[in-house]
Amino acid sequence: MTATASGREAPAAVQRHLGWALVVIAAAQLMVVLDGTITNIALPSIQSDLDVSASTLAWIVNSYALAFGGLLLLGGRAGDLFGRRRMFRVGIVVFTVASLLGGFATNEVTLIGARILQGIGAAIAAPTALSLITTNFPEGAPRNKAMGVYAAMAGLGSTVGLLLGGVLTDYLDWRWVFFVNIPIGIAVLAGTKLLAEGKPEHGRLDVPGAITGTGGLIALVYGITRGGEHSWSDGLTLASFAVAAVLLSVFLVLQTRSAHPMMPLRLFRDRGRSGAYVTMLFLGAGMFATFYFLTLYLQQILGYSPVETGLAYLPFTVGMMVSAGLGSRLISRYSPRAIAGPGLLIGALGMLWFARLEHDSSYATHLAPAMFVTALGLGASFVPMTLGAVRGVLPEDSGIASALLNTAQQIGGALGLAGLTTVAMTTADDLVPDASGTFYRAMATGDAALLDRAGQALTEGYAAAYLVAAGLFVAGLIITVTAVRGDKPDATAPLPAAHLG
């Protein structure tokens, strides 16, 4: 009887254990993804409270993206070498401590430093969380279910971040968009005792590759930002580009010579896979630009509250859900190029719609439709780009091939936002000198006429940035048509997990 009872109880106990393990991993993924959007809603409040300049404001977004994307591959490798649960805990601790520092930040420098630290924590936690699924869940239905929940957290996190960021900023303070991570992080850490460690692999970390690659990207983004704010012939601007060129060149040399490269260059030998990575750079730029400029426009120009801003993004969420679901169904019947091509075209049309922004554009007839159309394009492109990146790779390279796509999205977003912010600032400042500073000074003094002029200048800047973003989508479309594979997928081959960026 005992044996029978225990025989019946053991599967239930295992199921409960796996269920709680999935909750821990999903909560960690939700926290990391949530931080990519929750801060966007708070940007105007942060800018006003800490007196952040327009050019520096973008670094609050980019510092996280660069650290996350630049160190993502290294974080995943660290989990393989030193233990996935151990490194998962390290990532959560770093992310949680960084969130505490960000919440108590008293100036832009400390806030950006905290965001870099958050990105480092996310770069360790996110890939090890995905690896822990394979370690803790048996193949078949349990692992597939866990992967589905993990992927769902990526989409849910973006939506929850927009809504929660609005609520916290409106009813508490912008600092709570960082403080909210602390109880989640503590709960996740407590739950890690439910996770199996897994057997560490042999090898070593490509630390020189991580330093040169990430450092080169930071120098490049800084050069783009400074060039727009000061001058393209400015000494520090030119020095930044020179440093970026040297570091990125050294990075490529190291990747060719290292026995354990962070970014195996063999993955780029396939033209279709390389095309998928480059296209994802453009997709990341478009997505970052949509959230960043639209948030500033809604709150600064139209006067929306943070909560209203979060709710205003619902058409974007609906569009992403509709097109991503449709793309997932079509991907077994059509080539990645046949799905992503129209998606990029639709995305470009959405950006052109945004490029017609005016000082008093209607939400119902302009902003909501433009959001929906842009989201349709983005959602339709992510899934086929994921398939294009992982098809044909060796089994041992499938993880790194998928992770590279996430890295491409983050890096593309950072580079794109730096360039588009420069376009927006330059356009606005040509109409009204120091348009962003003038806007806030006019608000403080109650000068309605100056406020209106500065607001119109900022709107023109946002519209110009969206026009360039439309061009980036068209460039992605050209690359997709000419480089990404056009053959139909093997119906018997398993599909990759949804894009987890």
Side-chain angles (χ1 to χ4, degrees), residues 12-24:
V14 169
Q15 269 195 332
R16 283 196 301 272
H17 176 84
L18 290 179
W20 281 112
L22 182 56
V23 168
V24 172

Side-chain angles (χ1 to χ4, degrees), residues 351-352 355 416 419-420 423 462-474:
M351 289 297 179
L352 287 174
L420 294 174
V423 170
Y462 302 151
Y466 279 122
L467 183 61
V468 176
L472 294 178
F473 273 59
V474 171

Side-chain angles (χ1 to χ4, degrees), residues 414-442:
L415 292 171
L417 186 54
L420 294 174
T421 300
T422 298
V423 170
M425 284 175 48
T426 302
T427 303
D429 291 350
D430 284 345
L431 298 171
V432 174
D434 187 21
S436 181
T438 301
F439 181 85
Y440 280 104
R441 285 193 295 272

Side-chain angles (χ1 to χ4, degrees), residues 90-125:
V90 169
I92 295 299
V93 168
V94 171
F95 190 93
T96 305
V97 171
S99 298
L100 183 66
L101 296 175
F104 283 118
T106 55
N107 55 58
E108 59 195 45
V109 175
T110 53
L111 180 57
I112 291 172
R115 291 287 283 166
I116 292 172
L117 199 58
Q118 275 189 315
I120 294 171
I124 300 172

Side-chain angles (χ1 to χ4, degrees), residues 155 275 363 437:
Y363 175 79

Side-chain angles (χ1 to χ4, degrees), residues 60 70 74 88 125 151 171 227 231 272 310 312 355 361 371 404 444:
I60 296 174
L74 189 73
F88 179 69
Y171 296 112
S231 167
S361 290
M371 269 190 272
L404 271 172

Side-chain angles (χ1 to χ4, degrees), residues 200-482:
E201 299 177 7
H202 297 290
R204 63 178 183 177
L205 287 178
D206 182 14
V207 176
I211 293 173
T212 53
T214 306
L217 290 168
I218 291 173
L220 179 59
V221 170
Y222 181 77
I224 294 172
T225 305
R226 184 173 178 86
E229 186 179 7
H230 295 275
S231 167
W232 296 106
S233 60
D234 172 72
L236 193 51
T237 300
L238 296 175
S240 298
F241 287 133
V243 169
V246 170
L247 288 177
L248 292 176
S249 297
V250 171
F251 170 74
L252 291 175
V253 170
L254 290 173
Q255 298 311 289
T256 61
R257 297 181 178 179
S258 174
H260 305 281
M262 187 177 77
M263 187 179 74
L265 297 182
R266 62 179 177 273
L267 292 174
F268 297 92
R269 291 172 187 161
D270 183 279
R271 190 180 69 171
R273 189 176 305 118
S274 297
Y277 290 141
V278 176
T279 300
M280 186 57 74
L281 286 170
F282 293 124
L283 286 170
M287 188 166 67
F288 274 48
T290 301
F291 288 136
Y292 184 79
F293 294 113
L294 191 55
T295 295
L296 295 180
Y297 176 79
L298 288 169
Q299 293 191 40
Q300 290 181 339
I301 310 303
L302 296 188
Y304 279 35
S305 70
V307 168
E308 291 171 335
T309 301
L311 292 172
Y313 275 109
L314 286 177
F316 190 92
T317 302
V318 173
M320 286 285 284
M321 291 173 60
V322 169
S323 61
L326 182 61
S328 297
R329 288 194 292 272
L330 293 176
I331 199 65
S332 61
R333 299 170 55 192
Y334 300 98
S335 70
R337 184 170 68 194
I339 301 172
L344 285 158
L345 179 59
I346 293 170
L349 293 174
M351 289 297 179
L352 287 174
W353 204 333
F354 275 127
R356 297 176 61 247
L357 274 180
E358 296 180 357
H359 192 227
D360 55 352
S361 290
S362 165
Y363 175 79
T365 62
H366 189 165
L367 300 180
M371 269 190 272
F372 184 75
V373 170
T374 302
L376 283 178
L378 287 169
S381 304
F382 280 134
V383 174
M385 284 303 103
T386 303
L387 182 62
V390 300
R391 280 176 65 187
V393 301
L394 297 172
E396 60 267 25
D397 285 338
S398 60
I400 192 75
S402 182
L404 271 172
L405 201 69
N406 198 348
T407 297
Q409 180 188 333
Q410 295 293 327
I411 299 304
L415 292 171
L417 186 54
L420 294 174
T421 300
T422 298
V423 170
M425 284 175 48
T426 302
T427 303
D429 291 350
D430 284 345
L431 298 171
V432 174
D434 187 21
S436 181
T438 301
F439 181 85
Y440 280 104
R441 285 193 295 272
M443 285 184 64
T445 59
D447 189 333
L450 184 59
L451 184 66
D452 185 69
R453 282 200 301 117
Q456 290 189 30
L458 290 174
T459 302
E460 289 289 331
Y462 302 151
Y466 279 122
L467 183 61
V468 176
L472 294 178
F473 273 59
V474 171
L477 172 60
I478 294 172
I479 292 169
T480 297
V481 171
T482 57

